[in-house]
Amino acid sequence: MKRYAATINLVEDEAKIAGYLAHHRAVWVEVLRSFRAVGVRDLRIWRTGTRLFYEMEVEDRFDPNLDFPRYAGLHSSNPVWENLMASLQSPLPGHKPGEPWSPMELAFDLDAQLHTLDTGIGLRVDSHQHFWNYSQSEYPWIGPGMETIARTFEPEHLHPLLSARSLHGCVAIQARCDERENDYLLGLSDRNPFVLGVVGWLDLAADTLEARLDAQAGRPKLVGLRDVLQGKPRDEWLSDAFVRGVRKAGERGFAYDILIFAHQLQDAHDLVRQCASDHRLVVDHLGKPDIRSGEFTTWAKGLRQLAHDFPNLHCKLSGMVTEAIPYAWTPAQLLPYMETVVEAFGVERVMYGSDWPVCLLGAHQYADVYDVAADYIHTLGADAEAAILGANAVRFYRLPSPNLPHVPL
């Protein structure tokens, strides 16, 4: 089923308005039968003053350009009815010739939104962003030249930005290598239901990892873990202890985010090769290609190899603007990188992420980052758009449904 809505005015004549309402309380039988025959299943007309509004539910096969004329020809009474109604109606200014009713755009559908919250189907998700209550001692990586983000960024700052781009929620990614980060982000998620999941941090090479994993059990919004591999030497994150820790995290059901630079793609290959084939793994920020210098070939080769060799590996369309020339990049410069990711991984293994607020080091506002990705994703078709802008993140991170609690009357 699908719906149509339109509006029109009545003539400003109380007697004629009364006649219009009387006619509709006793619609001609042949008109009703003809509507049903062309696929109209429900039609309601509402009135306020001289303004009418109709909402019509029709079968999926219904085409207004074909079926309204077909309806008119099904019975000789139908054109008479329509001409009678037209004499009582007054089309809105600017209406199209032959289209007295002005079509309306659906702005909100409560049933559809509740279905999305209850099932997760249709959720639109930013799969990669950060929160912090800023202090220099807690976030020492925010150094000179990064004053734009040297302040507090919490859910109340992000929520309107997501809403303005029709995103239902987000996944919060760790910004400190500290177990307190888990409690901080999960606390924010508890108070802000649109924070759908948290990718936290644990010392995966620690001898006490099993106990630390036990301590995180029963926290459904803790959906993954991450470390800042880009800042560690290869020998450290390919050590037996660390690889064993990543594998244990996977056995406990945690996804793992791989944060690396482009020159570390082969190291990432060596790490993923030692993980279980069903462990959910994702490369953050396209593997950080050096977009600023225009380097492309070596990065693309390494990323394609990863995508080909490991079907369990995903990739995020995120972090591009901070690898380009800050505030001076163009969509055309980013397009080949996005195209390569989708070509390599397929639409089912790619997720949109903003990297907010870090992205503000390369873009003036959240909308700039979203729009450059969304404009490209839109060209891939509706199914791909739904996948990359939400469904893949829901599936990959096994995000708990943000369903509304039942409130007894």
Side-chain angles (χ1 to χ4, degrees):
M1 291 291 185
K2 54 187 178 182
R3 294 172 184 259
Y4 289 94
T7 187
I8 197 170
N9 284 332
L10 288 168
V11 295
E12 295 191 11
D13 183 310
E14 289 298 328
K16 290 184 176 181
I17 291 174
Y20 181 91
L21 298 175
H23 281 304
H24 279 84
R25 285 192 291 269
V27 180
W28 301 350
V29 172
E30 49 269 42
V31 169
L32 293 177
R33 287 176 173 169
S34 297
F35 273 127
R36 177 58 56 86
V38 298
V40 177
R41 286 294 169 262
D42 191 19
L43 192 159
R44 296 186 180 191
I45 299 177
W46 302 82
R47 180 179 76 99
T48 176
T50 59
R51 176 62 61 87
L52 295 179
F53 158 70
Y54 87 67
E55 181 181 28
M56 184 170 66
E57 186 178 78
V58 299
E59 296 175 4
D60 289 337
R61 63 177 175 82
F62 184 88
D63 183 336
N65 295 321
L66 299 176
D67 289 309
F68 278 136
R70 188 162 71 89
Y71 146 79
L74 284 178
H75 197 281
S76 59
S77 294
N78 295 349
V80 179
W81 169 268
E82 293 302 325
N83 288 333
L84 176 59
M85 294 306 106
S87 71
L88 305 174
Q89 295 165 345
S90 176
L92 274 62
H95 77 97
K96 296 178 181 178
E99 189 180 72
W101 288 83
S102 299
M104 300 179 71
E105 177 186 3
L106 179 65
F108 178 70
D109 185 333
L110 178 61
D111 284 345
Q113 292 290 348
L114 290 176
H115 180 73
T116 291
L117 291 184
D118 289 341
T119 65
I121 297 171
L123 276 177
R124 292 165 57 90
V125 179
D126 181 338
S127 74
H128 197 108
Q129 52 74 218
H130 308 279
F131 297 121
W132 54 72
N133 187 344
Y134 178 73
S135 72
Q136 198 280 328
S137 60
E138 290 291 335
Y139 301 92
W141 59 269
I142 301 178
M146 303 173 75
E147 289 77 15
T148 300
I149 63 171
R151 57 187 177 89
T152 294
F153 292 91
E154 291 198 324
E156 63 267 26
H157 305 116
L158 178 62
H159 202 185
L161 306 180
L162 297 179
S163 180
R165 287 300 182 267
S166 303
L167 293 162
H168 293 93
C170 61
V171 178
I173 311 295
Q174 59 85 219
R176 293 180 296 176
C177 295
D178 188 311
E179 286 189 43
R180 293 176 300 158
E181 184 79 337
N182 305 330
D183 296 332
Y184 168 66
L185 294 177
L186 288 167
L188 294 179
S189 73
D190 288 342
R191 297 188 295 276
N192 298 274
F194 78 92
V195 183
L196 305 175
V198 166
V199 172
W201 182 88
L202 289 175
D203 182 356
L204 296 179
D207 293 337
T208 58
L209 178 61
E210 291 282 7
R212 295 182 180 196
L213 288 168
D214 289 342
Q216 301 299 325
R219 309 179 87 171
K221 280 195 173 183
L222 186 62
V223 296
L225 297 169
R226 188 180 83 152
D227 208 328
V228 186
L229 300 185
Q230 67 180 30
K232 296 177 179 290
R234 166 189 166 91
D235 290 347
E236 185 172 333
W237 52 281
L238 288 176
S239 67
D240 291 343
F242 187 84
V243 171
R244 183 168 57 249
V246 174
R247 295 181 64 170
K248 285 182 178 179
E251 292 167 2
R252 296 293 191 98
F254 290 111
Y256 188 74
D257 276 54
I258 300 172
L259 177 62
I260 54 170
F261 290 116
H263 71 267
Q264 297 169 306
L265 285 169
Q266 182 56 56
D267 298 334
H269 193 285
D270 293 341
L271 173 64
V272 177
R273 178 173 49 81
Q274 299 180 72
C275 295
S277 61
D278 62 349
H279 192 176
R280 290 167 291 119
L281 306 166
V282 59
V283 176
D284 290 347
H285 311 328
L286 293 73
K288 290 199 169 184
D290 188 357
I291 301 173
R292 188 172 310 191
S293 72
E295 199 292 312
F296 180 84
T297 303
T298 302
W299 164 82
K301 180 180 179 181
L303 196 75
R304 288 179 178 131
Q305 191 67 53
L306 275 167
H308 175 270
D309 291 351
F310 305 111
N312 58 318
L313 185 66
H314 293 59
C315 189
K316 291 184 182 179
L317 284 180
S318 61
M320 291 178 288
V321 299
T322 50
E323 303 306 315
I325 299 175
Y327 315 109
W329 51 268
T330 66
Q333 289 172 322
L334 305 184
L335 181 60
Y337 296 91
M338 293 189 287
E339 289 177 330
T340 298
V341 168
V342 173
E343 172 200 340
F345 287 88
V347 298
E348 70 281 359
R349 290 195 284 154
V350 177
M351 294 176 269
Y352 159 74
S354 66
D355 198 26
W356 180 92
V358 179
C359 65
L360 300 179
L361 295 173
H364 294 290
Q365 57 186 342
Y366 183 98
D368 297 337
V369 175
Y370 173 85
D371 289 349
V372 71
D375 287 349
Y376 163 63
I377 294 166
H378 183 69
T379 68
L380 304 175
D383 290 344
E385 187 173 28
I388 297 173
L389 289 180
N392 291 345
V394 171
R395 173 177 49 82
F396 176 82
Y397 282 120
R398 298 175 181 170
L399 297 177
S401 174
N403 58 315
L404 298 175
H406 174 69
V407 179
L409 299 178

